[in-house]
């Protein structure tokens, strides 16, 4: 089982799609927009803007939705490719979404009326969401890119999710505690202590360095994740410069944060859609290939069971049909008969028309034999100028009539080769299955004895032999 998994072709996921020049160019444009908007807003970041009470709830809801959808897409891709590294990123986005939701829910004058300690919790939740995202991005960059076996993948995924749950719960508890320094007061929203002022950028810088050094923007996901980190830097900078609620910096920071989340989500959606299209096209090609293979296999099977000269079943195939009829007779009592057919004076035909003429006569006789029986009957070349006809569901008088029909079909008109007519006849020996028959050999031997009687009595006729007959009892023209 382990070797089979190792031999399986890796699934192409968003974490494995190589970044192209077009992707890098698009990422550069987005980064330029983030940085340009930040630099444009920075000098006036502290300017108070009109109060829009519904801005933060709407923006935070969109950000949480974007991060949740991104986490869902990454989890699906991780499951498909058994890639724990994508689980790290999916858990990171999930944890960040929880902390962003907490920040919006507790932020003063949004959902709650008064600030109080809820405002401090909201502010610290915002900081912890940035730190958590940076730590997750760095962990993703450091995580091995190789896929794991299904069982090992699920075990790793449970550990990763458990660690993220502990981090998120710890961040919420810590943000709600009274042991952290205050961030609100004196008319300002955001006054970072020096420790926090240095810690958060440090973690974010480490994440960027890890992503660039380890991942090197080789894949589409790595490229857009780095863009998201740049957006986070711009977000933090504008929030720091704005310092107060409903300032230009405050509005700009939340706008950049949402744009960064939507950018990664859009990239994931685009790549998943591209992978889906590729999968559909690959499946269509596989279906076409499989149809061609089925047609080729069917043709090979037909070739394998057909006689090259006559187009009838070859010896092995017709004996197989005979064995099937015998098994059905023994199991369900379905009667059947066999007819041995042999060309009369075939050596004379070969001597007069040559071997090519003899082959043409064999082919023409085969066509007449096939046309004279039912489609459910099996007609095969037994060897040389001898044929076998298997008549399932037929015995007694019906089988005798079929044998006479074969004799008449061959003698009804002369055969033509190179402009001359050659009269050709056949002799037929027939028999029915009997309870005393031990196997195919007994049936074929009895039909062969009947054929000998037909030839002995003048050829161009049929002879019939039952299992109870010591010698021939019926020979008719």
């Amino acid at each position: 089982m382990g070797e089979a998994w190792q031999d399986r072709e890796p699934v192409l996921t968003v974490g494995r799609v190589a970044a192209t020049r077009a992707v890098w160019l698009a990422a550069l444009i987005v980064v330029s927009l983030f940085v340009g908007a930040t630099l444009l807003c920075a000098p006036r970041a502290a300017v108070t803007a009109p109060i829009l009470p519904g801005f933060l709830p709407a923006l935070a809801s969109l950000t949480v939705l974007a991060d949740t959808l991104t986490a869902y897409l990454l989890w699906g891709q991780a499951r498909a490719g058994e890639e724990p590294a994508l689980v790290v990123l999916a858990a990171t986005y999930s944890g960040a979404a929880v902390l962003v939701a907490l920040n919006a829910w507790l932020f003063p004058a949004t959902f709650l009326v008064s600030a109080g300690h809820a405002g401090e919790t909201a502010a610290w939740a915002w900081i912890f969401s940035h730190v958590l995202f940076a730590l997750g991005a760095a962990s993703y960059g450091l995580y091995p890119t190789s896929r794991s076996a299904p069982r090992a993948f699920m075990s790793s995924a449970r550990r990763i999710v458990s660690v993220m749950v502990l981090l998120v719960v710890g961040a919420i508890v810590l943000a709600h505690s009274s042991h952290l320094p205050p961030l609100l007061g004196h008319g300002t929203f955001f006054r970072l202590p020096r420790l926090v002022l240095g810690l958060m950028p440090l973690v974010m810088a480490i994440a960027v360095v890890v992503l660039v050094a380890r991942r090197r923007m080789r894949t589409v996901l790595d490229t857009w994740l780095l863009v998201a980190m740049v957006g986070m830097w711009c977000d933090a900078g504008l929030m720091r410069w704005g310092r107060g609620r409903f300032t230009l910096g405050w509005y700009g920071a939340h706008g950049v944060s949402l744009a960064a989340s939507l950018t990664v989500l859009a990239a994931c959606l685009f790549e998943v859609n591209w992978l889906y299209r590729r999968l559909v096209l690959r499946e269509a090609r596989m279906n076409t290939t499989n149809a061609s293979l089925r047609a080729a296999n069917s043709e090979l099977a037909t070739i394998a069971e057909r006689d090259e000269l006559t187009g009838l079943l070859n010896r092995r195939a017709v004996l197989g049909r005979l064995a099937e009829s015998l098994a059905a007779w023994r199991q369900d009592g379905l009667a059947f008969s066999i007819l041995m057919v042999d060309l009369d004076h075939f050596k004379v035909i070969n001597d007069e028309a040559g071997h090519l003429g003899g082959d043409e006569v064999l082919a023409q006789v085969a066509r007449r034999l096939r046309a004279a029986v039912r489609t459910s009957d099996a007609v095969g070349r037994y060897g040389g100028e001898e044929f076998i006809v298997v008549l399932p569901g037929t015995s007694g008088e019906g089988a005798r009539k079929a044998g006479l029909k074969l004799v008449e079909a061959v003698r009804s008109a002369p055969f033509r080769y190179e402009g001359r007519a050659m009269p050709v006849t056949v002799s037929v020996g027939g028999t029915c299955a009997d309870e005393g028959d031990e196997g195919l050999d007994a049936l074929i031997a009895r039909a062969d004895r009947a054929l000998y009687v037909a030839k002995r009595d003048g050829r161009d006729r049929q002879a019939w032999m039952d299992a109870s007959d010591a010698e021939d009892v019926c020979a008719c023209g």
Side-chain angles (χ1 to χ4, degrees):
M1 185 67 179
E3 293 181 359
W5 172 84
Q6 292 290 345
D7 294 339
R8 192 182 67 180
E9 182 180 355
V11 177
L12 186 62
T13 63
V14 293
R16 297 180 182 274
V17 179
T20 61
R21 290 184 178 178
V23 172
W24 291 329
L25 178 60
L28 180 61
I29 292 174
V30 174
V31 167
S32 301
L33 292 175
F34 286 169
V35 175
T38 302
L39 295 178
L40 185 64
C41 183
R44 301 180 181 179
V47 176
T48 302
I51 297 177
L52 302 175
F55 175 80
L56 184 58
L59 205 81
S61 298
L62 289 175
T63 303
V64 171
L65 179 61
D67 287 350
T68 302
L69 289 176
T70 302
Y72 176 76
L73 290 174
L74 291 172
W75 169 251
Q77 292 291 296
R79 285 290 303 273
E82 282 103 19
E83 297 180 62
L86 292 183
V87 179
V88 173
L89 210 52
T92 299
Y93 268 95
S94 299
V98 172
L99 293 178
V100 170
L102 179 67
N103 166 259
W105 177 253
L106 298 178
F107 194 82
T110 53
F111 293 103
L112 298 179
V113 177
S114 61
H117 189 68
E120 293 289 346
T121 303
W124 279 109
W126 179 86
I127 292 176
F128 287 150
S129 68
H130 284 62
V131 173
L132 180 70
F133 188 87
L135 288 174
S139 300
Y140 164 76
L142 293 172
Y143 210 97
T145 57
S146 59
R147 63 197 179 104
S148 59
R151 290 185 179 179
F153 166 78
M154 292 306 299
S155 178
S156 300
R158 283 191 290 267
R159 287 196 300 269
I160 293 168
V161 172
S162 299
V163 170
M164 182 55 62
V165 169
L166 291 176
L167 289 176
V168 171
V169 171
I172 294 174
V173 172
L174 190 60
H176 190 63
S177 70
S178 58
H179 301 293
L180 295 175
L183 300 178
L184 304 176
H186 304 291
T188 63
F189 160 61
F190 203 39
R191 51 176 191 176
L192 287 173
R194 291 182 179 180
L195 176 63
V196 178
L197 185 62
L199 178 62
M200 190 171 72
L202 177 62
V203 176
M204 294 165 59
I206 291 174
V208 171
V209 171
V210 169
L211 286 175
V212 173
R214 289 296 300 271
R215 298 289 180 171
R216 300 180 183 177
M217 299 171 61
R218 287 188 293 261
T219 68
V220 174
L221 181 60
D222 300 339
T223 302
W224 289 109
L225 186 59
L226 188 61
V227 171
M229 290 300 304
V230 173
M232 184 175 292
W233 271 94
C234 296
D235 168 23
L238 287 173
M239 187 67 74
R240 170 62 181 164
W241 297 325
R243 299 189 63 82
R245 292 168 37 220
F246 303 116
T247 61
L248 289 179
W250 184 85
Y251 280 115
H254 285 87
V256 171
S257 177
L258 175 61
S261 296
L262 292 177
T263 297
V264 177
L265 175 61
C268 288
L269 287 173
F270 180 84
E271 292 305 320
V272 169
N273 187 49
W274 179 82
L275 289 172
Y276 177 74
R277 290 199 308 270
R278 175 170 174 164
L279 178 63
V280 170
L281 292 175
R282 181 179 180 181
E283 185 176 359
R285 288 194 296 268
M286 288 180 62
N287 290 337
T288 302
T289 302
N290 289 337
S292 301
L293 288 175
R294 285 193 296 269
N297 288 336
S298 178
E299 184 178 355
L300 289 174
T302 300
I303 293 173
E305 68 176 12
R306 294 290 170 180
D307 178 67
E308 183 177 0
L309 176 61
T310 63
L312 300 177
L313 296 175
N314 57 28
R315 181 188 181 101
R316 182 178 63 179
V318 75
L319 290 180
R321 301 290 181 86
L322 183 56
E324 292 173 3
S325 296
L326 181 60
W329 174 72
R330 286 176 173 171
Q331 181 175 350
D332 302 319
L334 298 178
F336 74 98
S337 304
I338 66 170
L339 304 174
M340 300 287 292
V341 183
D342 189 77
L343 268 68
D344 297 329
H345 304 296
F346 186 66
K347 184 177 183 304
V348 176
I349 296 174
N350 269 336
D351 292 341
E352 292 182 356
H355 289 291
L356 292 179
D359 289 346
E360 178 61 27
V361 168
L362 282 174
Q364 293 186 38
V365 168
R367 287 194 290 269
R368 293 193 186 185
L369 294 178
R370 179 68 266 180
V373 298
R374 303 168 300 181
T375 55
S376 59
D377 298 331
V379 184
R381 187 180 180 190
Y382 190 61
E385 67 274 16
E386 196 169 14
F387 303 88
I388 288 185
V389 181
V390 183
L391 307 171
T394 305
S395 62
E397 189 62 25
R400 290 180 175 86
K401 288 181 179 179
L404 293 175
K405 189 177 180 181
L406 294 178
V407 174
E408 178 60 28
V410 176
R411 81 151 77 100
S412 60
F415 290 75
R416 295 190 175 277
Y417 178 72
E418 292 185 346
R420 62 174 181 169
M422 294 182 294
V424 178
T425 61
V426 294
S427 298
V428 177
T431 189
C432 295
D434 187 85
E435 294 181 358
D437 293 329
E438 296 181 356
L440 299 181
D441 292 342
L443 273 169
I444 295 174
R446 192 161 63 247
D448 199 50
R449 289 200 302 272
L451 177 61
Y452 169 77
V453 171
K455 285 186 170 293
R456 186 198 63 189
D457 290 353
R459 296 182 172 85
D460 190 21
R461 66 191 64 237
Q462 173 187 235
W464 192 266
M465 182 171 286
D466 293 323
S468 59
D469 299 328
E471 287 291 339
D472 56 291
V473 293
C474 179
C476 53

